[in-house]
Amino acid sequence: MDDGPGYVPGDGPTEPAAVEAGGTLGEGQPAEGPAADVAPGRVPWEDPEEGFPANLFRTWMRSLAEPSALFRSVDPEAPLLRPLLYFLIVTVTASFFATMWLLAGVTMLPMTGAGAAAELAAPTAVSALADFFLSPFLALVGLGFTTLVVGLGVRLIMGAGRRLRGTAHLLCYTSGPMVLTIVPLVGQLVGSVWSIVLLVIGVREVHRTTTGQAVVAGLLVPLAAVIGVAMAAAILMALALAPFLGDLPLS
């Protein structure tokens, strides 16, 4: 593939239209015209010339320290296998540390997987380990759902032609901060907030839009969609239970 003039491997794509005009494409500005079709660079994790675990560590560090540069180098048309593997490595690692702190009794954060509802107040070793072993499957389900709702927001705000693969691709690399669960008590909360920030940056850079549109497409539209689905489910449940509730003594 021809990477275009001025391309330096590992530094992300250059924008020929902007360079020829004597300027650069500003961070967070939507690419327009020929510059929007420039082939992206490579995420270290997806570069076959970089070995493991250096490629994993470099990608993780860039997601925390240089997220804009990392997401600008994401190829939304690339296969999803490598990003999914990165996502699973990060989420399982985060789940491991969360489970260890839970078993040690030094965290007050509730579990999110099997056994959470029954053991919320006093989780047992069995329920905590069940959480850990189910974490890859639950993480993939969560990734699929998030891809759908964020993809919906991207299409509504930015128009058709934005493929779900690009959204799934960027979401895989927003998981990096979750490794901060290595820090007890506050690590999981900080990691969650940081991942939300990376989501906005990722939508902005991968889909070549502005920060404002990224916030609406990546956060507000999905949030509204989730609230709408939850309200619809609650209304349907109430309607289904209404005949039975009429026979219950309420006084």
Side-chain angles (χ1 to χ4, degrees):
M1 179 188 297
D2 183 8
D3 290 313
Y7 175 77
V8 179
D11 290 334
T14 58
E15 304 293 342
V19 172
E20 290 176 3
T24 58
L25 185 67
E27 184 176 297
Q29 297 177 350
E32 298 177 354
D37 299 324
V38 173
R42 280 193 174 161
V43 176
W45 174 247
E46 299 177 36
D47 190 344
E49 296 183 1
E50 292 206 35
F52 180 84
N55 55 359
L56 176 65
F57 181 73
R58 281 194 62 208
T59 300
W60 181 74
M61 284 298 297
R62 289 188 71 188
S63 74
L64 301 184
E66 301 176 308
S68 294
L70 175 70
F71 287 114
R72 277 198 301 271
S73 67
V74 166
D75 181 359
E77 299 299 324
L80 273 174
L81 181 60
R82 294 286 293 181
L84 283 174
L85 181 58
Y86 174 89
F87 173 77
L88 287 174
I89 291 173
V90 169
T91 53
V92 170
T93 301
S95 180
F96 172 79
F97 287 116
T99 302
M100 292 301 99
W101 293 129
L102 191 64
L103 293 176
V106 294
T107 178
M108 298 299 292
L109 295 177
M111 296 185 298
T112 57
E119 304 293 343
L120 184 59
T124 65
V126 173
S127 61
L129 291 175
D131 262 11
F132 173 69
F133 286 112
L134 287 176
S135 62
F137 308 101
L138 296 174
L140 288 175
V141 171
L143 176 65
F145 177 76
T146 306
T147 298
L148 290 176
V149 294
V150 173
L152 171 66
V154 167
R155 283 177 174 264
L156 287 176
I157 301 303
M158 301 171 206
R162 313 280 179 160
R163 299 184 60 183
L164 282 178
R165 178 184 294 184
T167 300
H169 207 134
L170 74 89
L171 285 171
C172 289
Y173 293 116
T174 64
S175 61
M178 296 311 299
V179 177
L180 295 178
T181 52
I182 192 173
V183 181
L185 298 178
V186 298
Q188 189 173 357
L189 177 61
V190 172
S192 299
V193 174
W194 203 333
S195 291
I196 292 174
V197 174
L198 292 189
L199 170 60
V200 173
I201 296 174
V203 171
R204 183 188 72 192
E205 300 298 342
V206 172
H207 291 294
R208 301 297 192 264
T209 186
T210 63
T211 301
Q213 286 187 327
V215 170
V216 176
L219 294 181
L220 299 185
V221 171
L223 180 61
V226 171
I227 293 175
V229 170
M231 291 179 62
I235 292 172
L236 291 175
M237 184 176 296
L239 291 175
L241 294 177
F244 303 98
L245 294 176
D247 297 332
L248 294 177
L250 300 178
S251 59

